Amino acid sequence: MAKLAILATSFALLFLVATATVTITTVEINEEANPTKSCQQQVQAQPLRNCQQFLTECSRMMMLENTASSRCQQQKQECCEEMSQLDKECRCHGIKKMMQRQQGQIGHQQMEKMAEKAMELPRMCQMAPRTCEMRSFWY
């Protein structure tokens, strides 16, 4: 009889531990889902307009002259300041949204070159993540 009571208590304890683990896992999953919403809010508040301007105006100039004008240096600095306003896990999301806004405003080749430069913005600003992966969504 005592063995049966110990066995029943052990199963009850095991059940409680299993239930608590499931609850903890559920909470962790919900916390991981929140940064996406947070990123959307951050990007909406900080749409990286200076970065967009830097990429459209200065990338072409830097490729032609292999140098950067003082105006481009200023725009780069302003872009980096904008990027610093976003959490590091939101920067690539912000860059992708910025590129989506460009869609249809410039030609395909220019868009490809701009996307290559855009992926390197965090590295250029010496921020994490160093690069952003971006699929060609403008075909």
Side-chain angles (χ1 to χ4, degrees), residues 22-137:
V22 171
T23 303
I24 291 170
T25 303
T26 302
V27 170
E28 288 176 13
I29 290 170
N30 288 339
E31 287 174 3
E32 288 174 7
N34 288 336
T36 302
K37 187 174 184 178
S38 173
C39 286
Q40 289 172 348
Q41 291 170 340
Q42 286 183 43
V43 170
Q44 190 172 6
Q46 186 62 268
L48 302 178
R49 299 215 189 280
N50 287 318
C51 293
Q52 186 172 352
Q53 190 173 9
F54 170 74
L55 288 172
T56 53
E57 294 178 12
C58 295
S59 328
R60 186 175 35 201
M61 189 184 311
M62 288 188 313
M63 286 182 351
L64 293 173
E65 300 175 10
N66 206 16
T67 179
S69 69
S70 60
R71 181 175 175 196
C72 287
Q73 289 292 352
Q74 171 96 20
Q75 285 183 333
K76 174 186 168 187
Q77 184 177 357
E78 291 171 359
C79 170
C80 292
E81 287 173 16
E82 281 182 334
M83 297 252 309
S84 71
Q85 299 297 314
L86 299 175
D87 292 342
K88 72 178 182 179
E89 59 272 1
C90 298
R91 291 179 184 141
C92 290
H93 178 71
I95 291 169
K96 288 174 186 175
K97 287 294 186 185
M98 175 192 66
M99 291 300 297
Q100 286 174 344
R101 284 194 310 273
Q102 281 294 112
Q103 189 174 359
Q105 295 181 17
I106 59 177
H108 176 73
Q109 282 186 322
Q110 190 177 359
M111 190 73 167
E112 287 285 337
K113 289 177 184 174
M114 188 175 171
E116 288 174 19
K117 297 285 186 194
M119 289 186 289
E120 299 296 320
L121 281 175
R123 182 190 55 76
M124 181 188 72
C125 294
Q126 299 175 344
M127 297 178 187
R130 302 301 281 170
T131 60
C132 296
E133 287 187 32
M134 203 172 310
R135 292 189 190 105
S136 297
F137 49 79

